[in-house]
Amino acid sequence: MARMTKKNKHRRPKGLPSKEQILEFIQTSDTPAGKREIAKAFGLKGQEKIALKKRLKDMAEEGLIDGKRTAYHRMGGVPKVTVLKIVAIEDGEPVAEPENWAPDNKEKPPRLMVKESKKMAALKRGDRILARNEETERGWRATPMKKLPARTEGLMGVVEKDGSGNYWLAPVDKRVRDSAPIGDVGEAKEGELVLAERMGKSARSKVKVVEVIGDPLAPKAFSLIAIAKHGIPHIFPQETIAEAERAVDLPLSPDHREDLRDVPIVAIDPADARDHDDAIWAEPDGKGGYRAIIAIADVSYYVRPGGALDREARKRGNSVYFPDRVVPMLPEVLSADVCSLKQDVDRAAMACHIHIDKDGKVTDWRFTRAIVRLAKNIAYEDAQAAIDSGDAPEYLQNLWGAWKLLFKARQARDPLDLELPERQVRLNDEGVIEEIAVRERLDAHRVVEDFMIAANVAAAKALEAKAAPVVYRVHEQPSREKLLAFREYLATQGKKFALGQVITPGLFNRMLKDIADPAEKALIMEAVLRSQTQAFYGPQNAGHFGLSLGSYAHFTSPIRRYADLLVHRALVDAYKLEQPKPKLDLPDTSGLSDRDRTALHQITDAISQTERRAMEAERDTIDRYVAAWLSGRVGETFDTRITGVQGFGFFATIEKLGGDGLVPVSTLGREYFSYDEKAQKLIGESSGTEYAVGDRLKLKLAEANALTGALKFEVPDSDGSGIEPRGNRVRAKKRTHQKRGPKKGTGAPRQSHPQGKRGRPGNIRHQGRKKK
């Protein structure tokens, strides 16, 4: 088949070629090269052809070639079936690399696009899969065969040294119980925070340090730990920054936009907010209702599909908010400046015009692209103070008037009403903690929230009216399995719950409203939280159970959420809101791209994953700040509430502060405690003492580990001694006292009992800045 040039023919060595020579021949051949062509090129005969056949088979098994007989192709070191690691999500599709890659230490590992299926959907960065690989005209494609357990790679911890001079990696993840021996410490020093990788395949193998992060207790280090641990992209590529700087020069003209600069629109945000997505305005309609405008930053005008900005925003999925920093979805020149709605500055906006009738129902809506010039950027507390004083300007009075109607409709809708306190960490300029408190919930927060909900509903319904693609915010009703567990739990509390009735948010609200005792109410509220599903993004509408809404989409925060940006693009297309093509070096359209439409399932799965990643990172960081704040108060007694119960102990959180900590059952004295899984309680065998979810009690803080965010409590009047190992308690005791790290006497670090996944109540609480 292959026709070699005379020049190449003369250069081929005679005799059985090496693997490297075969690969070179295949790669440089002008036409497909099979076994016959290889044998001819190297002048092979008889036994040499048999030897060639065996060598080609070996090469195929090693993954050096694809294994076909008529025409081989170089695989670039990727076996036909191998273990891959997801390294990125690009344009909604997972991208993988071979887990073990070292062909000659010169070539970069090949990147394979992973073809997802229903059984193997929602792959995220860091996942390991066994996949079948093939080369196509568009590059390498991988078809997953099964998902593999995670290897403990990308380990993070603090370098510690024992008395024998051995180095150990003390973990900063509360779920990791053991210190790991360090085989290659590199340039890291004792006490430094580092990233490491396993040197072998075993979970007990030594690790090598691959990156030194620095002082683990330095100001603002806790967010860096979360960023590294969760793999959050936080450095913008130069091409992304360059495109953002070009986008700043896009013209803003009233010739193609509705001019709303004379309307006194205001943005009400946290006092420390840097990005202002939304602003609102309302005025009476003379019939008992209100006309209102919700102006949202027109991010789609600046971030266009297919560009570097779009690729990076899709990869990040959302901004991540920490007490000391924000990891933005968009470069700061856009997120904190050009796209941010500010007082007395012309800004591009997507305007949602709605009409609110006297019953609070939104009866009409329309969308335009506009120019706005905000009358005021005002903090929640200042807006509330102005209303409470009675001296509020007319534009605030109108907003509160319109909100009262929206709130009236909200009450009629009866969405899920749970008290979810939000912890706020206040730092000084040096990054040192000044205060940790529960953020006060004001009417001003509810005003903005209800206007945003109205706009989100309007966006979803406007797109449905045009049969346009919609990125829905979906919150499904509780599953039957969770409702069964909820019913069983209520039975242990002497309460009934019928599964035959229609399950609505109001059903849970009425149940909680009828409970007068605060401790009992907290207990049932925890159970309600555990029964809920987790919200996600998707192109199919399944309603929003928690808000009691049939159609809901996120539209109001495109600076910090990619889902909102997609909704904006869909509105641009559906309502013909495209602006003139820019003369700058930017993509032409600001609407949906073909890929947006065809890969919407993959994109929404990916951004649902990045949202969960952000939630975990934010929660972990808050936990570390709380532990650091409490580290100087070990030995003090706090008012706490039990949040979870397991056979090995119970978890409690400090009232009005947060910070979950473990009370090991081994510290409760010599009495034997049995575990009632259905009732979620520990019961003393002789005294009848009970520890149940929702109970309030005083506990003494025994340990506070700022690096892991883990707390440990003790019952103040307990003697702290062990208990008799009887029945199942034997296993629980072994878990509690499990040794970790090196043997006693080496001086290596020992970790306190961590708060593991087993002890966390399965709830949907989201601690963070989110206001909408």
Side-chain angles (χ1 to χ4, degrees):
M1 288 176 62
R3 294 183 60 190
M4 301 296 300
T5 63
K6 290 183 179 180
K7 184 177 181 181
N8 284 336
K9 274 186 177 181
H10 290 308
R11 287 188 176 181
R12 296 292 176 199
K14 299 297 181 181
L16 182 66
S18 66
K19 294 178 181 179
E20 291 74 19
Q21 290 170 334
I22 293 172
L23 290 174
E24 182 183 11
F25 173 77
I26 293 171
Q27 193 167 7
T28 57
S29 177
D30 295 332
T31 57
K35 184 180 68 174
R36 182 184 304 172
E37 287 69 42
I38 296 172
K40 185 176 180 181
F42 289 92
L44 305 184
K45 297 180 180 178
Q47 293 297 318
E48 289 178 329
K49 287 185 177 181
I50 297 174
L52 174 65
K53 181 179 179 180
K54 182 179 184 303
R55 178 156 292 179
L56 291 172
K57 182 179 179 181
D58 291 342
M59 291 176 69
E61 290 177 352
E62 291 175 24
L64 298 179
I65 57 178
D66 61 7
K68 295 178 181 178
R69 295 185 179 183
T70 56
Y72 295 106
H73 297 280
R74 181 170 183 174
M75 293 286 285
V78 184
K80 291 179 67 176
V81 176
T82 190
V83 176
L84 302 177
K85 183 176 180 180
I86 307 299
V87 296
I89 304 294
E90 295 180 358
D91 298 330
E93 291 190 4
V95 179
E97 291 179 359
E99 185 171 69
N100 298 311
W101 174 255
D104 56 13
N105 295 322
K106 293 180 181 179
E107 298 176 359
K108 292 182 179 179
R111 293 166 71 87
L112 300 90
M113 301 303 295
V114 179
K115 182 180 180 181
E116 292 184 296
S117 63
K118 291 183 179 179
K119 293 183 180 180
M120 196 79 66
L123 291 171
K124 61 183 184 299
R125 189 174 183 271
D127 283 348
R128 300 172 68 238
I129 57 173
L130 181 68
R132 184 177 292 106
N133 313 305
E134 62 178 347
E135 189 176 24
T136 68
E137 293 180 356
R138 295 185 178 181
W140 288 101
R141 300 287 298 184
T143 302
M145 298 168 65
K146 68 176 180 177
K147 195 172 181 179
L148 301 175
R151 284 180 62 181
T152 49
E153 294 178 320
L155 298 168
M156 175 175 281
V158 176
V159 176
E160 299 198 359
K161 195 175 183 180
D162 65 22
S164 302
N166 298 314
Y167 288 100
W168 295 83
L169 185 72
V172 295
D173 187 341
K174 69 182 75 174
R175 294 169 295 184
V176 179
R177 303 167 69 94
D178 301 329
S179 297
I182 299 177
D184 183 357
V185 75
E187 298 180 358
K189 298 181 178 61
E190 186 178 1
E192 288 187 320
L193 181 68
V194 301
L195 278 174
E197 290 181 352
R198 295 283 182 195
M199 299 177 71
K201 294 184 178 180
S202 169
R204 296 183 179 181
S205 61
K206 292 184 177 182
V207 302
K208 66 176 179 179
V209 174
V210 295
E211 182 181 348
V212 177
I213 297 175
D215 182 358
L217 294 177
K220 303 184 178 182
F222 296 148
S223 58
L224 290 176
I225 293 174
I227 288 168
K229 172 188 169 184
H230 294 279
I232 296 172
H234 65 291
I235 298 174
F236 285 102
Q238 190 55 47
E239 63 172 344
T240 303
I241 296 174
E243 185 175 311
E245 291 173 347
R246 291 197 301 274
V248 169
D249 295 327
L250 282 167
L252 192 58
S253 169
D255 295 341
H256 305 285
R257 290 179 176 270
E258 182 181 18
D259 194 342
L260 298 176
R261 287 177 289 185
D262 293 333
V263 179
I265 303 175
V266 296
I268 306 176
D269 286 296
D272 57 353
R274 297 180 62 194
D275 51 354
H276 305 277
D277 292 273
D278 55 81
I280 49 181
W281 167 89
E283 70 173 9
D285 66 356
K287 301 177 183 178
Y290 281 83
R291 290 183 293 272
I293 298 174
I294 300 98
I296 307 299
D298 188 4
V299 176
S300 64
Y301 183 55
Y302 298 97
V303 182
R304 294 162 177 264
L309 271 171
D310 182 51
R311 291 194 298 272
E312 186 67 19
R314 185 176 297 187
K315 180 173 73 174
R316 297 180 177 224
N318 44 259
S319 298
V320 188
Y321 292 87
F322 300 110
D324 63 319
R325 76 185 72 226
V326 176
V327 179
M329 185 179 76
L330 304 174
E332 192 166 319
V333 67
L334 295 179
S335 61
D337 189 7
V338 175
C339 289
S340 191
L341 304 182
K342 296 183 178 181
Q343 180 178 337
D344 299 330
V345 180
D346 288 359
R347 286 289 185 256
M350 185 76 77
C352 173
H353 298 256
I354 62 174
H355 179 258
I356 306 166
D357 70 12
K358 58 184 177 60
D359 296 318
K361 295 181 179 179
V362 178
T363 59
D364 189 26
W365 53 79
R366 65 184 178 91
F367 290 86
T368 66
R369 269 181 153 163
I371 297 181
V372 298
R373 183 181 294 165
L374 265 58
K376 192 79 171 177
N377 285 97
I378 184 169
Y380 286 117
E381 295 78 6
D382 294 338
Q384 189 66 56
I387 290 293
D388 292 344
S389 69
D391 297 328
E394 185 180 15
Y395 57 76
L396 283 183
Q397 294 179 29
N398 286 341
L399 288 176
W400 256 253
W403 167 66
K404 288 177 181 178
L405 297 181
L406 290 173
F407 186 68
K408 180 181 177 181
R410 181 189 182 102
Q411 288 181 306
R413 203 172 70 240
D414 203 11
L416 194 62
D417 187 16
L418 300 177
E419 299 172 10
L420 302 175
E422 181 181 348
R423 289 176 291 174
Q424 184 179 23
V425 178
R426 296 190 180 96
L427 308 176
N428 62 20
D429 293 339
E430 286 73 41
V432 178
I433 306 169
E434 286 187 339
E435 182 186 15
I436 297 179
V438 175
R439 193 187 296 270
E440 186 180 6
R441 178 77 167 162
L442 305 170
D443 280 349
H445 293 94
R446 298 181 178 92
V447 169
V448 174
E449 182 179 279
D450 282 336
F451 269 99
M452 297 305 112
I453 290 173
N456 288 336
V457 172
K461 291 186 174 180
L463 290 174
E464 288 173 346
K466 294 287 188 177
V470 186
V471 174
Y472 289 101
R473 181 62 170 176
V474 179
H475 182 224
E476 297 173 331
Q477 74 172 38
S479 65
R480 180 172 176 80
E481 291 76 15
K482 288 196 172 187
L483 290 174
L484 282 169
F486 181 66
R487 183 180 68 175
E488 290 177 356
Y489 174 73
L490 288 183
T492 66
Q493 306 301 314
K495 298 182 182 296
K496 295 182 178 180
F497 183 78
L499 290 181
Q501 60 190 317
V502 177
I503 305 300
T504 65
L507 184 66
F508 295 111
N509 292 340
R510 290 188 292 276
M511 182 184 300
L512 293 169
K513 188 177 181 181
D514 292 339
I515 301 173
D517 180 60
E520 184 183 2
K521 187 172 184 177
L523 186 148
I524 302 301
M525 188 178 294
E526 289 286 347
V528 172
L529 283 168
R530 289 195 300 271
S531 74
Q532 302 302 302
T533 61
Q534 188 170 37
F536 60 92
Y537 294 109
Q540 266 82 45
N541 187 20
H544 197 294
F545 178 81
L547 292 175
S548 194
L549 291 168
S551 296
Y552 193 66
H554 274 166
F555 160 78
T556 54
S557 295
I559 290 177
R560 63 182 180 90
R561 291 189 306 224
Y562 194 79
D564 303 55
L565 178 56
L566 290 172
V567 170
H568 279 233
R569 288 176 178 168
L571 288 166
V572 168
D573 287 343
Y575 288 90
K576 298 181 173 24
L577 302 177
E578 188 63 84
Q579 298 286 288
K581 292 183 180 180
K583 295 181 180 178
L584 304 171
D585 182 17
L586 295 169
D588 292 339
T589 181
S590 59
L592 290 172
S593 67
D594 291 339
R595 179 166 286 184
D596 287 339
R597 296 172 185 275
T598 58
L600 209 52
H601 267 291
Q602 293 94 321
I603 296 170
T604 52
D605 286 345
I607 59 180
S608 294
Q609 291 289 345
T610 60
E611 179 192 44
R612 290 172 194 142
R613 177 182 68 186
M615 290 169 62
E616 291 175 8
E618 291 169 355
R619 184 189 62 221
D620 288 353
T621 303
I622 293 290
D623 286 347
R624 288 187 172 91
Y625 272 110
V626 170
W629 177 247
L630 293 171
S631 60
R633 304 178 66 180
V634 171
E636 291 187 27
T637 300
F638 295 88
D639 291 325
T640 71
R641 181 169 59 84
I642 297 177
T643 57
V645 178
Q646 291 290 332
F648 54 81
F650 62 86
F651 294 88
T653 186
I654 298 174
E655 297 270 62
K656 299 181 181 180
L657 177 64
D660 287 331
L662 173 69
V663 180
V665 73
S666 60
T667 67
L668 298 179
R670 293 189 175 274
E671 182 180 11
Y672 173 72
F673 280 81
S674 62
Y675 173 47
D676 186 334
E677 185 176 2
K678 290 184 179 180
Q680 288 287 291
K681 63 174 65 174
L682 290 169
I683 306 170
E685 188 177 70
S686 56
S687 67
T689 301
E690 295 185 355
Y691 296 103
V693 173
D695 287 353
R696 286 181 165 85
L697 69 165
K698 290 186 179 294
L699 293 175
K700 182 174 69 175
L701 181 63
E703 295 179 17
N705 189 327
L707 285 179
T708 64
L711 305 177
K712 184 178 178 182
F713 296 112
E714 292 177 353
V715 176
D717 57 358
S718 171
D719 60 10
S721 58
I723 62 172
E724 294 297 327
R726 287 185 289 165
N728 291 335
R729 182 67 202 108
V730 175
R731 291 191 293 273
K733 186 173 182 180
K734 285 182 179 179
R735 280 200 305 269
T736 302
H737 294 286
Q738 181 180 3
K739 290 183 180 181
R740 62 199 69 184
K743 293 181 180 180
K744 185 176 181 181
T746 63
R750 306 268 261 180
Q751 304 297 313
S752 61
H753 193 297
Q755 175 182 341
K757 280 185 176 178
R758 294 170 297 176
R760 281 193 182 276
N763 59 52
I764 59 168
R765 281 183 292 184
H766 178 105
Q767 304 281 8
R769 172 186 176 273
K770 310 303 180 282
K771 66 180 181 183
K772 297 180 255 304

